[in-house]
Amino acid sequence: RYTLDVNKTRVVVHYGDAAGARNAAATLCAAVVEKAGRLVCGCVSVDDWPDSDYRGFMIDFARKYIPVEEVKRQLRLMAAFRYNVVHFHLLDTEHYALDSKAVPALSRNPIFLNYSLAEMREIGAFANALGLQLIPEIDLPGHGLMLLEKMPELACEDKNGNPPSIWDACVCNELLYETLDKLITELEEVCLLYTSPSPR
């Protein structure tokens, strides 16, 4: 929560935590307009607080490569509009967005650029600095077409002799959990540093 009072002589902001300070700054910036070649802010009084714990936005890295600077631009816009959560969609039918060292099979012959682990750390740190909680996500066991093309040993066996599904990884296959454990451990080192809930 924060309060913002602007009069002819001063700007006064009260806030309870870093998120309140960020939101107050975003509101103040939004109130500034250009008039006669000068930046001015009208007199205003604001008493504001989040309407929900989760005010989020998803960035789909799995279906399109987005240049790092463009990702940062989107994150800045999120902060300006007082979002508090960013959801990183990293694995889907088409692609795994990271250049994985833990499961290198996922990074062979990508359909478009992967993010290096260093780039994803940079993006995560940038989101965190803007007060955004980061939620990384890998879409399994469904949407597993690309995963099963790269690692067919994760497909299900059919006792009736039918071919295995090309879409779903086998939840009865212990190797799936070993693979997930490697991916999640890698994400802990890359993204999960920045997933603690942002202060309100």
Side-chain angles (χ1 to χ4, degrees), residues 37-53:
R38 299 175 59 196
L39 295 177
V40 298
C41 180
C43 296
V44 66
S45 180
V46 177
D47 184 2
D48 192 22
W49 59 92
D51 56 359
S52 61
D53 290 331

Side-chain angles (χ1 to χ4, degrees), residues 155-178:
C156 284
E157 295 181 8
D158 190 299
K159 293 182 180 179
N160 298 319
N162 297 317
S165 169
I166 64 171
W167 297 104
D168 303 309
C170 183
V171 296
C172 297
N173 186 339
E174 196 60 35
L175 184 58
L176 173 64
Y177 298 98
E178 293 174 15

Side-chain angles (χ1 to χ4, degrees), residues 10-140:
R10 62 181 184 167
V11 175
V12 179
V13 177
H14 294 284
Y15 55 90
D17 55 29
R22 183 205 68 170
N23 290 346
T27 298
L28 182 60
C29 288
V32 173
V33 297
E34 184 176 354
K35 185 179 290 187
R38 299 175 59 196
L39 295 177
V40 298
C41 180
C43 296
V44 66
S45 180
V46 177
D47 184 2
D48 192 22
W49 59 92
D51 56 359
S52 61
D53 290 331
Y54 184 107
R55 184 179 167 95
F57 185 88
M58 184 186 85
I59 299 179
D60 191 349
F61 294 104
R63 292 186 178 90
K64 179 182 179 182
Y65 177 80
I66 307 169
V68 171
E69 288 307 312
E70 172 60 19
V71 175
K72 289 182 176 181
R73 187 188 73 84
Q74 293 180 16
L75 294 173
R76 283 192 294 269
L77 286 171
M78 288 181 62
F81 285 96
R82 295 170 285 286
Y83 283 82
N84 63 356
V85 179
V86 59
H87 180 140
F88 283 7
H89 185 64
L90 298 172
L91 172 65
D92 210 299
T93 296
E94 293 82 4
H95 185 68
Y96 183 55
L98 295 183
D99 185 15
S100 177
K101 305 304 180 189
V103 186
L106 289 180
S107 302
R108 286 199 305 262
N109 303 318
I111 61 172
F112 39 76
L113 284 175
N114 287 332
Y115 297 89
S116 71
L117 301 182
E119 285 175 322
M120 194 53 66
R121 284 190 194 96
E122 178 185 346
I123 292 169
F126 190 80
N128 193 241
L130 292 171
L132 298 168
Q133 178 189 355
L134 170 56
I135 300 177
E137 179 257 320
I138 49 180
D139 196 348
L140 284 174

